[in-house]
Structure formats: C-alpha cells, structure tokens
C-alpha cells in the first residue's frame, strides 16, 4: 500500500529548528502551563477511577454481608444489617459513613453531620439512583472527595451509601511534582537555548521511551495486562511525525490483542459459573425425577405381587403409572431442550379439590409402605385456583412426602382443604418428633435438612421444601410450618381464592 510522503513541516528536523529558534522562556512557560493542566486532569482521572472502584467494592461489601446473613437483597435487609455493612465499610477505609434508605432517610451515621451532607449535590443525585462525587480543594493543600451512590441489587434500589475520602496527600504530592517540573523545565529549556546537541538528545528520548514501553508491554502480554494504558502514559499518539505514526500503528495492534484477552477472560468466567451451578442443577433434577419413579415402581410391584386377578388394582395402577410416566416424560423433554415453556402456557383455572384428591391417592402407596395412613377430609365444594397444575402437584407431593418420612409408624396423616378469609388452605399433619422452634425458620432454605436420624428415607437432598416455597411465591401464595416438638407438625399451604 502506497503511503503519502511526509511533509517537511511534520518531520523531526522541522521540530528541531523550532526548538532552537523559540525563546527558551516561552517554551518554559508553555510547559509549566500544560503540565499544570495535565496534573489537574490526572488527579481528576485518578479520583474518578478510584470512585468507580469504591462504588463496585461498596456493592460487593453489601452483597457479601447480606449473603452471609442469608437475607434477601432488599431494603429491609439493608436496614436490618446496617451495622454490619457500616463495619465492613469502616474496615475498608471509609470515613464519615452515612447509610440511608431509598427515600434518603438516615439509617446509620452522625445525624448532625448528615443534615449538612444531605443538601450536597452528590447525595441528591444518589437519591435519583446516580453515583456522584464532589471534590473540595482547600487553601492548605486539602483535597476531600464527597461520594454518594445508590445501592442497586438484583434490579432493586435498596439504599444509599455516602462517605468522605481524603486525597490531600495525593493533591500535595501533585503540587510538589508540578513545582519540581517547573525547575526541570527551567533547566531543560535553558540548556536547549545554549546547547544544540541537547536538542538531538530530546529527539532520541521519545524513541527510547517507546522502546522501553514496547519491552514492558511484550513482557506482560501473557497475563492480559492492557498495553494501551502504558502507551497512553507516554502521550505519543497525538504526534504527527514518525514516532506518532509508529505509536498509532502499535496501538491498533494492541487493541486487537486486548480484545482477544478480554474475550478469553469472559469465556473463563462463564465456564466457572456454569461449573459451580452444575451440582445444584443435578440435585434439582434428581429430586424432581424421584417421585414419579417411586410411584411407578410402587404400583408395578403391587401389580406383580397380586397378579392379573385384581382388576381394580390393575386399572388403578395402570392409570397412575400412565399419568406419572407422562409427567416424567414431559420433565425429561424440558430438561433436554433446556427450556420451560409451561411457565407461560400452563397457567389456568384449576379445581384444587381434584388435585389434592389425586395426589393423596397417588401417595397412599408410599404411606402404606411406611405403615402410615393418609386420611383426606373430602369436600364436595369446588375450590378453584389459578396456577400451573404440575407445579401445584409438585408442592403437594413434596409436603406429603415429607410428612411420611418424618411421621411415626402407625399414625394417621390427616389432610384437609378449606376456604376461609379469601384463601384456599391445605393442611398436612403428622405425629412424630416435630421440628424445633429455631429450625422452623430454616427448613425452607435450599439444601437444609433436619436431623437425618429422624428420617425413614435415605438420599434426600434437602431441596423439596425449598422448591415448594419458591413455587408458592410464583402463585402469590405461601407455605408455612408449625410444630410442637415431640407431638405434631402441621404444614399449611395457602393459595389466593378465585371466585
């Protein structure tokens, strides 16, 4: 490719001529002026970058604190654990910390100081869900940054963090640097005016710096460090001579290399995320497939044991096997396709009474195997709800299965469905060791299991009640447990009633 010949006015020789002819004092003043501007720009740039890191770190501290407390990422949890969050921020070097709710009310911090703080622009912008900071310079080398940010977790605006950071040392250091640069400029331009060979040295200096930068970049390419940042510090891209052209071409090459490193890092993060979630995925799949397989196996064993002579058992068992195998097939197909089309398609008006009766009949096989009896208080009333039949069945199966596993042998397990106060309620009770009061708050957490010695079934992953609670939230209902240790445990499932 033919390149246009470079004009004399863009050559190094022309610049040498200018450096020789221009008065040294004029050059010195220009350098001092531009160095001062550049130093000020560098301070603001560094503060901006550090405030971005402060914002990211603050969100990380809040998220970690709430995760450690097993709380939801909402404003209530933010208010509840404000002391722990404030302690985390203090340990990280924050000072004059104010923690506020989404509406701007103070949750933690000095109330008197907050009265002045809340009128500042950065705090007002934080209430509008925008991170902001203000830089205040003092006459004695003081430099303070007032920073405020919204706390957004999982798409929810749950609070505001405001703090003050001291950059006085950086500001004074930059001022000292400017002063030293002034003296250096005086010496340099004095020598330029007196000695011609020093001009040649100045010509070779950028080439030397570029060479050193190239060596530094090549030594760090393997660990993914950004080489363009090193070239930016050299401030050579704006030149129109040979050095500027070389730096521009080299910058383009580095940008391509950095993009590839960024793609590699992103792919690595996605792979690690998928790897960490694999075990939880398989646990959920195992739990969902276990119940229909148990029903199919139970009826098949009974039909084999009684033979073809028991016509009632034959038709009942065949119906349940067909229904459960169909549901099992549907779940397997959804897993293979990695999608859940039923979320939008299966929501409809359902007769909850029929579903409860059908699930109770299905679970009797397992109850009989553990010497328990399921007793359903039947009602002729149609109790309609709006939801997804498969998921409602899943909730009932999980709760009844749990009552069978932890109930005493030979004791009945009563199931009742009623309508009251605009809700349709299903209660499942069992007699057994019960659940301690301190455990009632945690039994619906993922992977939580009560004392394994109380269960009559091995291999439970502790996901059943967690799955049931999540499904009830999707149906705008809830599930709760009440227990008298050593006597009885009652699970209550509530759906919004439909007229």
């Amino acid at each position: 490719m033919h390149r246009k010949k470079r004009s004399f006015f863009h050559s190094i020789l022309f610049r040498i001529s200018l450096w020789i002819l221009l008065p040294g004092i004029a050059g010195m003043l220009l350098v001092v002026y531009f160095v001062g501007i550049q130093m000020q720009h560098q301070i603001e740039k560094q503060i901006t970058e550090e405030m971005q890191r402060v914002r990211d770190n603050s969100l990380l501290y809040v998220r970690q604190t709430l995760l450690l407390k097993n709380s939801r990422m909402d404003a209530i949890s933010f208010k509840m654990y404000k002391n722990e969050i404030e302690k985390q921020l203090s340990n990280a070097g924050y000072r004059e910390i104010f923690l506020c709710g989404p509406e701007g009310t103070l949750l933690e911090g000095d109330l008197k100081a907050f009265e002045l703080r809340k009128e500042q622009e950065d705090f007002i912008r934080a209430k509008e869900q925008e991170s902001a900071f203000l830089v205040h310079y003092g006459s004695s080398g003081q430099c303070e940054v007032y920073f405020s940010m919204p706390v957004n977790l999982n798409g929810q605006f749950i609070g505001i963090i405001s703090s003050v950071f001291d950059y006085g040392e950086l500001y004074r250091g930059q001022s000292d640097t400017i002063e030293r640069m002034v003296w250096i400029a005086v010496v340099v331009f004095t020598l330029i005016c007196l000695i011609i060979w020093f001009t040649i040295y100045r010509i070779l200096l950028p080439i030397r710096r570029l060479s050193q930068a190239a060596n530094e970049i090549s030594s760090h390419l393997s660990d993914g460090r950004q080489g363009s940042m090193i070239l930016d510090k050299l401030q050579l891209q704006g030149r129109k001579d040979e050095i500027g052209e070389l730096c521009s071409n080299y910058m383009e090459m580095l940008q391509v290399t950095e993009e590839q490193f960024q793609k590699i890092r992103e792919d690595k993060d996605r792979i690690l995320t998928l790897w960490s979630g694999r075990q939880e995925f398989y646990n959920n799949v195992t739990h969902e497939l276990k119940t229909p397989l148990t029903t199919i196996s139970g009826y098949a064993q009974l039909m084999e044991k009684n033979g073809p002579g028991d016509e009632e058992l034959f038709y009942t068992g065949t119906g349940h096997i067909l229904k459960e195998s169909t549901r099992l097939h549907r779940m397997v197909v959804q897993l293979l396709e990695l999608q859940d089309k039923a979320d939008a398609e299966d929501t409809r008006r359902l007769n909850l009474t029929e579903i409860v009766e059908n699930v109770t009949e299905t679970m009797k096989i397992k109850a009989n195997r553990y010497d328990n009896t399921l007793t359903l208080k039947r009602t002729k009333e149609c109790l309609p709800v709006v939801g997804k039949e498969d998921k409602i069945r899943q909730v009932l199966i999980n709760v009844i299965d749990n009552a069978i596993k932890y109930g005493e042998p030979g004791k009945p397990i009563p199931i009742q469905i009623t309508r009251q106060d605009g809700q349709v309620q299903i209660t499942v009770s069992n007699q057994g060791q019960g659940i301690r009061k301190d455990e009632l708050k945690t039994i619906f957490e993922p992977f939580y299991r009560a004392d394994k010695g109380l269960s009559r079934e091995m291999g439970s992953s502790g996901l059943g009640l967690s799955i049931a609670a999540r499904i009830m939230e999707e149906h705008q209902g809830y599930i709760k447990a009440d227990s008298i240790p050593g006597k009885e445990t009652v699970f209550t499932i509530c759906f919004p009633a439909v007229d």
Side-chain angles (χ1 to χ4, degrees):
M1 180 178 177
H2 177 71
R3 291 183 178 274
K4 184 179 179 180
K5 186 177 180 180
R6 191 178 295 104
S7 66
F8 172 77
F9 298 101
H10 292 158
S11 66
I12 296 178
L13 181 59
F14 177 75
R15 295 195 176 194
I16 293 176
S17 301
L18 290 180
W19 289 346
I20 294 174
L21 296 175
L22 287 177
I25 186 66
M28 179 190 67
L29 292 176
L30 287 174
V31 169
V32 171
Y33 175 74
F34 285 109
V35 167
I37 293 178
Q38 185 64 26
M39 290 295 181
Q40 187 71 20
H41 174 71
Q42 290 294 332
I43 292 176
E44 294 177 358
K45 181 179 179 181
Q46 183 172 348
I47 290 176
T48 300
E49 292 175 350
E50 292 194 12
M51 289 302 101
Q52 291 175 349
R53 288 194 292 271
V54 167
R55 179 195 62 192
D56 295 339
N57 291 338
S58 299
L59 290 175
L60 181 61
Y61 294 146
V62 174
R63 184 182 294 275
Q64 288 178 341
T65 300
L66 297 183
L67 285 175
L68 289 174
K69 298 298 182 179
N70 291 323
S71 64
R72 295 186 176 181
M73 306 295 178
D74 54 15
I76 297 176
S77 300
F78 182 81
K79 180 178 180 180
M80 183 180 302
Y81 299 107
K82 61 182 184 298
N83 293 330
E84 288 82 355
I85 295 173
E86 193 272 343
K87 184 177 180 181
Q88 282 269 28
L89 298 179
S90 297
N91 294 337
Y94 294 47
R95 66 185 184 89
E96 296 184 23
I97 301 171
F98 301 99
L99 301 181
C100 305
E103 68 282 357
T105 56
L106 182 65
L107 302 178
E108 185 69 18
D110 186 353
L111 180 60
K112 185 176 181 181
F114 178 71
E115 293 298 321
L116 300 175
R117 189 76 179 86
K118 68 180 181 180
E119 302 297 330
Q120 295 180 341
E121 182 182 355
D122 61 308
F123 187 85
I124 296 174
R125 291 172 64 183
K127 290 197 296 184
E128 300 173 356
Q129 301 191 42
E130 180 182 0
S131 299
F133 67 89
L134 297 175
V135 182
H136 292 264
Y137 297 98
S139 58
S140 302
Q142 299 175 346
C143 179
E144 290 184 330
V145 177
Y146 296 90
F147 174 74
S148 298
M149 58 167 286
V151 180
N152 291 298
L153 295 179
N154 297 333
Q156 298 185 41
F157 177 37
I158 66 172
I160 298 174
I161 296 177
S162 183
S163 185
V164 180
F165 298 88
D166 185 12
Y167 283 86
E169 183 176 354
L170 172 64
Y171 180 65
R172 290 188 293 271
Q174 295 287 2
S175 300
D176 294 339
T177 301
I178 293 176
E179 182 178 356
R180 288 193 296 269
M181 290 296 295
V182 170
W183 287 106
I184 292 174
V186 171
V187 174
V188 169
F189 281 101
T190 300
L191 292 176
I192 287 176
C193 294
L194 298 177
I195 307 172
I196 296 178
W197 66 264
F198 190 75
T199 304
I200 300 175
Y201 174 79
R202 292 290 299 173
I203 295 174
L204 296 177
L205 180 60
I207 300 176
R208 184 183 306 172
R209 292 167 59 193
L210 183 58
S211 176
Q212 293 173 350
N215 291 333
E216 184 178 355
I217 292 170
S218 63
S219 64
H220 292 291
L221 278 177
S222 60
D223 57 18
R225 284 183 50 183
Q226 293 186 339
S228 57
M229 296 179 60
I230 300 175
L231 288 182
D232 285 337
K233 295 179 181 179
L234 299 182
Q235 303 175 8
L236 300 176
Q237 296 92 324
R239 297 174 66 113
K240 297 182 179 181
D241 54 19
E242 296 86 348
I243 297 175
E245 182 180 357
L246 175 62
C247 185
S248 297
N249 293 335
Y250 197 55
M251 177 68 75
E252 293 178 5
M253 180 189 69
L254 282 176
Q255 287 176 350
V256 175
T257 304
E258 290 168 5
E259 289 175 0
Q260 295 302 317
F261 273 113
Q262 180 64 27
K263 290 180 180 178
I264 293 173
R265 284 193 291 267
E266 291 175 356
D267 291 341
K268 176 185 175 182
D269 293 339
R270 283 196 293 268
I271 291 172
L272 290 176
T273 301
L274 291 173
W275 181 264
S276 62
R278 186 185 66 171
Q279 187 60 47
E280 182 177 356
F281 172 78
Y282 282 120
N283 284 339
N284 279 279
V285 170
T286 302
H287 190 277
E288 293 305 311
L289 299 181
K290 182 180 66 175
T291 299
L293 288 174
T294 301
T295 301
I296 293 171
S297 175
Y299 274 106
Q301 290 174 7
L302 279 178
M303 292 169 66
E304 180 184 30
K305 180 179 179 180
N306 291 358
D310 193 339
E311 183 176 348
E312 181 181 356
L313 176 62
F314 175 80
Y315 285 107
T316 302
T318 302
H320 282 288
I321 290 174
L322 179 60
K323 187 168 187 176
E324 291 301 314
S325 62
T326 301
R327 190 164 72 94
L328 180 62
H329 176 267
R330 185 164 55 251
M331 287 191 291
V332 171
V333 170
Q334 289 178 353
L335 289 172
L336 292 175
E337 294 179 353
L338 291 178
Q339 59 187 2
D340 189 9
K341 297 180 180 177
D343 282 348
E345 299 172 357
D346 290 345
T347 300
R348 57 192 176 88
R349 186 184 180 95
L350 302 168
N351 184 350
L352 189 59
T353 303
E354 291 183 357
I355 297 176
V356 173
E357 291 176 350
N358 185 268
V359 172
T360 302
E361 186 68 24
T362 301
M363 296 299 294
K364 282 183 178 180
I365 294 291
K366 184 169 185 176
N368 293 336
R369 190 167 54 194
Y370 286 111
D371 196 21
N372 287 115
T373 303
L374 297 181
T375 60
L376 174 62
K377 185 177 181 181
R378 299 180 181 272
T379 176
K380 296 182 179 180
E381 182 183 3
C382 175
L383 298 177
V385 295
V386 174
K388 304 166 187 176
E389 182 175 355
D390 283 350
K391 291 197 173 184
I392 293 176
R393 285 176 56 87
Q394 184 178 350
V395 172
L396 295 172
I397 289 172
N398 284 336
V399 173
I400 296 175
D401 182 72
N402 195 72
I404 295 172
K405 288 189 296 185
Y406 291 94
E408 286 189 12
K411 299 293 185 179
I413 298 177
I415 302 171
Q416 184 176 2
I417 177 170
T418 59
R419 174 171 177 164
Q420 57 182 1
D421 299 329
Q423 292 181 331
V424 178
Q425 295 185 353
I426 304 169
T427 58
V428 180
S429 308
N430 74 322
Q431 300 180 37
Q433 294 295 325
I435 305 172
R436 298 195 307 270
K437 185 176 181 180
D438 59 327
E439 291 182 331
L440 287 174
K441 300 179 180 179
T442 55
I443 60 174
F444 296 104
E445 295 179 0
F447 305 106
Y448 174 83
R449 290 199 62 196
D451 186 358
K452 296 181 181 179
L454 301 178
S455 174
R456 293 184 285 166
E457 183 173 304
M458 301 298 294
S460 175
S461 60
L463 288 169
L465 293 180
S466 173
I467 294 172
R470 187 171 66 250
I471 292 174
M472 292 307 300
E473 288 180 2
E474 294 175 2
H475 287 74
Q476 286 76 49
Y478 64 88
I479 179 173
K480 67 175 183 177
D482 298 293
S483 182
I484 301 175
K487 292 185 178 180
E488 183 184 41
T489 300
V490 180
F491 279 86
T492 304
I493 306 169
C494 292
F495 291 89
V498 178
D499 295 329

